[in-house]
Amino acid sequence: MTMTRLAQFWQGRFPLSKTFWLGWAVPVVGGNVLLSVGAWWVINHIGLIAFYIAVALVAIYTLAAVIPVWRSAATYTGHRLFKYGARGVAAVTTLLPIVGIVTIAATLIAIKSGNDPTHDPERIAEKTAIPSASHPLAGFWKTDPSDNFGLAIAPAEGSLYSVSFCGPGGCFKPGSYRPNTPIVGDESYQVISSETLRVRGNDGWTTYTRSPGRGGEDCPKP
């Protein structure tokens, strides 16, 4: 029965409203929201490759789900705005998954060859995240003091900072996790005090407090 319904969905035999909203919008939008909210947890507890695989699966489904939407729209007899709007939205959003899949494929190939452009096993960002007169916001920042992961904010060129996620498996190379930033004046950051920052991500604002370090034998505290 399940296979029959899947076949009917793939062939576009369900009404366009059900195909678009339940077959495309809910899983695609929901999948991307879950990835955004759970990104750090997956990277920290399962690994970066697992996160890439999850992103690839969502991207593949996003691409595949365009076909039943397109087919269902072909037999839709309602208002043209919904017919062509559903096709257009589903088709346009395939561009992002295509870019994502290409990026992930390139990254996985680099990881396999031992040349990951983002991974920093030497923890340069973490080791250089030391505040100074010119870069007072440098340091290690956590959402919870008990975490062994967080953001290493390190001095970069000029008055800019690099912002890298670091966990037990290593760090992102400076400049590869988030763009280098002055922090003060950047709309993606709010400086609440010298010890508290708010950082805007895909899932909204997150509050961080300065920490003595990530902790652990492999991460001496500065």
Side-chain angles (χ1 to χ4, degrees):
M1 184 66 175
T2 301
M3 289 304 297
T4 300
R5 289 186 176 274
L6 287 176
Q8 291 176 339
F9 168 69
W10 178 253
Q11 294 166 6
R13 295 183 181 180
F14 288 129
L16 180 57
S17 58
K18 182 180 292 186
T19 302
F20 179 78
W21 293 112
L22 298 182
W24 184 87
V26 170
V28 169
V29 175
N32 281 285
V33 169
L34 286 176
L35 282 175
S36 298
V37 173
W40 284 13
W41 187 93
V42 173
I43 293 171
N44 183 61
H45 291 84
I46 304 177
L48 188 59
I49 292 181
F51 174 69
Y52 285 150
I53 291 174
V55 172
L57 290 175
V58 172
I60 290 170
Y61 182 87
T62 301
L63 292 171
V66 174
I67 296 175
V69 169
W70 203 269
R71 290 172 173 170
S72 180
T75 58
Y76 180 67
T77 58
H79 199 285
R80 290 185 177 182
L81 181 61
F82 183 48
K83 175 177 181 176
Y84 294 109
R87 278 184 168 181
V89 170
V92 169
T93 53
T94 61
L95 297 177
L96 293 177
I98 289 173
V99 173
I101 289 174
V102 172
T103 302
I104 290 169
T107 303
L108 291 177
I109 291 172
I111 293 173
K112 190 68 175 179
S113 63
N115 186 33
D116 183 353
T118 64
H119 185 55
D120 173 25
E122 300 299 323
R123 302 180 181 280
I124 294 173
E126 192 168 25
K127 293 176 180 177
T128 59
I130 300 174
S132 64
S134 62
H135 292 82
L137 295 175
F140 202 86
W141 300 77
K142 300 179 182 179
T143 58
D144 188 302
S146 63
D147 290 339
N148 64 347
F149 57 89
L151 296 180
I153 300 180
E157 65 277 5
S159 60
L160 301 181
Y161 296 86
S162 65
V163 181
S164 302
F165 176 82
C166 293
C171 297
F172 280 80
K173 290 181 179 179
S176 67
Y177 181 69
R178 294 178 69 101
N180 289 351
T181 172
I183 296 183
V184 177
D186 189 327
E187 294 182 352
S188 294
Y189 299 86
Q190 294 178 350
V191 180
I192 307 302
S193 71
S194 61
E195 304 299 316
T196 307
L197 292 176
R198 297 188 73 212
V199 180
R200 184 166 60 185
N202 292 332
D203 53 338
W205 290 93
T206 302
T207 301
Y208 291 85
T209 55
R210 195 192 298 268
S211 165
R214 184 179 56 79
E217 295 180 358
D218 59 338
C219 177
K221 297 181 179 180

